[in-house]
């Protein structure tokens, strides 16, 4: 049982490059989430999707876009990466509570 | 002011000690409360929910004081394996299933 799978696990980008972080869950959960975690800041919600076909902004959506491709998959796109987006990114899914997290993507923007 | 505030620590305690973590939240419309555990460079995982009457799970006891907007976690008989960062998490009424995380309290249990 894979749970929540994120790819890639590590990535280094140059400023201005774009990339998509992938997330897939096999628990048939309706809701999916993208967070970023920075030192001393805790996890902050970027975007979430309450159900297939819907997405909403979280606390820190600027510079990101998302796509809920189907019930299983929820991707996060950085169109023009900036050093301030260096962070650890977590995807999560849930029916209600608790949320189940993937093991994260460590992203560095140079 | 952060919506969910925790003492960042670090707390360094000997094996077998009892340690308590505190957390305050600013939004009185908060509905659900949780403690998550995060090991170094790993994903957060639910440790326990926090109920109004207080609840216990083995060596772990969680308390909620809605009047003071305060949540606590008590760990008794600390084990080396309890070393982790403990995240206080709040779900606000009307925010669907969105969670607001504290920045965490780091615990190291020493042999």
């Amino acid at each position: 049982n894979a749970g929540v799978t994120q790819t890639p696990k590590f990535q280094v980008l140059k400023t201005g490059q774009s990339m998509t972080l992938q997330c897939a869950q096999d628990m048939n959960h309706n809701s999916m989430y993208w967070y970023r975690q920075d030192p001393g800041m805790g996890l902050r919600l970027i975007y979430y999707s309450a159900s297939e076909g819907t997405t909403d902004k979280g606390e820190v959506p600027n510079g990101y876009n998302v796509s809920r491709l189907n019930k299983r998959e929820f991707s996060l796109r950085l169109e023009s990466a900036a050093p301030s987006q260096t962070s650890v990114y977590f995807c999560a899914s849930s029916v209600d509570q608790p949320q189940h997290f993937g093991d994260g993507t460590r992203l560095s923007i140079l | 002011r952060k919506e969910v505030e925790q003492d960042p620590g670090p707390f360094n305690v000997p094996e077998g000690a009892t340690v308590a973590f505190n957390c305050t939240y600013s939004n009185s419309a908060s509905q659900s409360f949780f403690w998550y555990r995060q090991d170094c460079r790993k994903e957060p995982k639910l440790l326990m929910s926090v109920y109004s009457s207080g609840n216990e799970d083995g060596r772990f006891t969680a308390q909620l004081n809605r009047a003071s907007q305060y949540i606590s976690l008590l760990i008794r008989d600390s084990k080396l394996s309890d070393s982790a960062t403990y995240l206080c998490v709040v779900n606000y009424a009307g925010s669907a299933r969105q969670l607001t995380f504290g920045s965490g309290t780091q615990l190291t249990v020493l042999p």
Side-chain angles (χ1 to χ4, degrees):
Chain A
N1 187 357
V4 179
T5 302
Q6 291 184 233
T7 55
K9 294 198 185 319
F10 302 93
Q11 185 71 49
V12 179
L13 293 178
K14 294 181 180 178
T15 298
Q17 286 186 317
S18 62
M19 82 161 294
T20 300
L21 308 186
Q22 307 286 354
C23 176
Q25 52 94 7
D26 61 4
M27 296 174 283
N28 202 36
H29 288 167
N30 287 327
S31 301
M32 297 186 74
Y33 313 83
W34 275 105
Y35 294 89
R36 59 179 289 174
Q37 187 174 30
D38 302 295
M41 297 291 290
L43 279 83
R44 291 182 292 167
L45 184 65
I46 304 171
Y47 271 93
Y48 69 100
S49 171
S51 61
E52 186 179 353
T54 68
T55 60
D56 287 284
K57 294 178 180 180
E59 181 185 353
V60 288
N62 291 345
Y64 306 95
N65 286 300
V66 291
S67 296
R68 183 74 182 267
L69 304 170
N70 47 56
K71 192 170 185 179
R72 290 187 66 247
E73 298 174 288
F74 188 37
S75 62
L76 178 72
R77 182 162 178 84
L78 287 72
E79 291 291 352
S80 178
S84 61
Q85 294 177 304
T86 293
S87 190
V88 180
Y89 291 84
F90 287 102
C91 177
S93 71
S94 71
V95 171
D96 186 5
Q97 302 298 345
Q99 293 185 8
H100 299 264
F101 287 81
D103 53 11
T105 295
R106 297 182 182 279
L107 182 62
S108 293
I109 317 293
L110 304 178
Chain B
R1 183 185 174 189
K2 292 182 181 178
E3 291 189 45
V4 179
E5 294 209 54
Q6 297 181 247
D7 181 344
F11 284 62
N12 298 317
V13 303
E15 227 177 337
T18 295
V19 61
F21 304 138
N22 303 318
C23 168
T24 58
Y25 59 95
S26 60
N27 190 331
S28 59
S30 301
Q31 185 173 48
S32 306
F33 309 89
F34 310 91
W35 284 100
Y36 275 67
R37 169 190 169 131
Q38 187 172 24
D39 293 304
C40 187
R41 301 178 73 82
K42 298 288 190 180
E43 74 275 20
K45 293 183 179 178
L46 179 70
L47 177 67
M48 59 194 302
S49 300
V50 185
Y51 302 119
S52 295
S53 55
N55 50 297
E56 209 173 282
D57 183 1
R59 297 181 294 108
F60 299 85
T61 301
Q63 298 278 355
L64 168 63
N65 184 323
R66 285 189 184 270
S68 301
Q69 296 182 197
Y70 171 95
I71 306 159
S72 66
L73 176 68
L74 183 76
I75 306 175
R76 291 182 300 277
D77 190 22
S78 300
K79 311 292 185 190
L80 297 177
S81 57
D82 293 335
S83 297
T85 296
Y86 291 83
L87 306 173
C88 177
V89 184
V90 173
N91 171 229
Y92 294 112
S95 65
R97 298 172 182 87
Q98 293 181 59
L99 298 177
T100 301
F101 286 78
S103 55
T105 298
Q106 185 181 344
L107 172 66
T108 301
V109 181
L110 304 169

